[in-house]
Amino acid sequence: MTRLVNRDRSLEELERDRWSAPSGAETRLMATVRELRRKPIGELTIEDMRLLIRQDVGLAHLLPLAVEVLRVDPLAEGDMYEGDLLAAVLTLNPEVWRESPELGREVRLIVSGLADVPPALEREVEGFLAR
């Protein structure tokens, strides 16, 4: 499934939701998330997507893009380890897949097609396939 989305727009623009300025101390992680929400989604790197997906931010717009990347390279790597984008996708709340069953089916096909699962991903793959 290919979902058309304007890749020149940021998550803030697509969601029509500008986060208010932080009150008090903001963690570096949240400052990074806030900054990435302002970046056009077509300019997000694998690491940017991994980080945002791990934080459950912008999933409606980012999951289709992540699956697009995973179709080409199931073990696409951000800054952590081989397959870290896939790990972020596989560990999402099962409710996400109930809301996007076609993406869930596609991820299941991608995972099922892996010849060798890296040890760092075994638990996530098993958990996802067991659902």
Side-chain angles (χ1 to χ4, degrees):
M1 171 189 143
T2 302
R3 181 176 170 202
L4 296 177
V5 64
N6 185 341
R7 294 170 191 246
D8 294 329
R9 298 181 74 196
S10 68
L11 287 173
E12 277 193 348
E13 293 168 322
L14 291 166
E15 294 176 344
R16 294 186 173 118
D17 180 22
R18 296 200 189 282
W19 289 3
S20 59
S23 58
E26 182 176 49
T27 66
R28 186 171 61 170
L29 173 61
M30 286 313 298
T32 301
V33 168
R34 181 182 303 283
E35 181 181 317
L36 291 175
R37 288 189 77 251
R38 294 184 183 125
K39 188 175 183 178
I41 63 170
E43 295 177 15
L44 293 173
T45 66
I46 290 170
E47 175 61 16
D48 296 340
M49 285 191 285
R50 182 201 65 81
L51 189 143
L52 290 165
I53 289 169
R54 281 279 190 201
Q55 299 304 310
D56 293 328
V57 173
L59 295 179
H61 303 287
L62 295 180
L63 271 182
L65 297 180
V67 169
E68 192 176 289
V69 169
L70 295 171
R71 261 189 235 122
V72 175
D73 182 5
L75 300 178
E77 183 175 345
D79 291 348
M80 303 295 286
Y81 55 89
E82 180 182 42
D84 58 5
L85 178 62
L86 179 59
V89 168
L90 294 178
T91 56
L92 286 169
N93 185 313
E95 182 62 31
V96 170
W97 305 115
R98 284 191 280 283
E99 293 173 10
S100 300
E102 60 287 335
L103 285 175
R105 283 190 294 276
E106 192 160 355
V107 170
R108 187 171 291 278
L109 286 171
I110 290 167
V111 169
S112 298
L114 286 175
D116 293 313
V117 176
L121 288 176
E122 287 176 351
R123 188 178 60 185
E124 288 88 350
V125 167
E126 288 171 8
F128 182 81
L129 292 176
R131 292 185 194 154

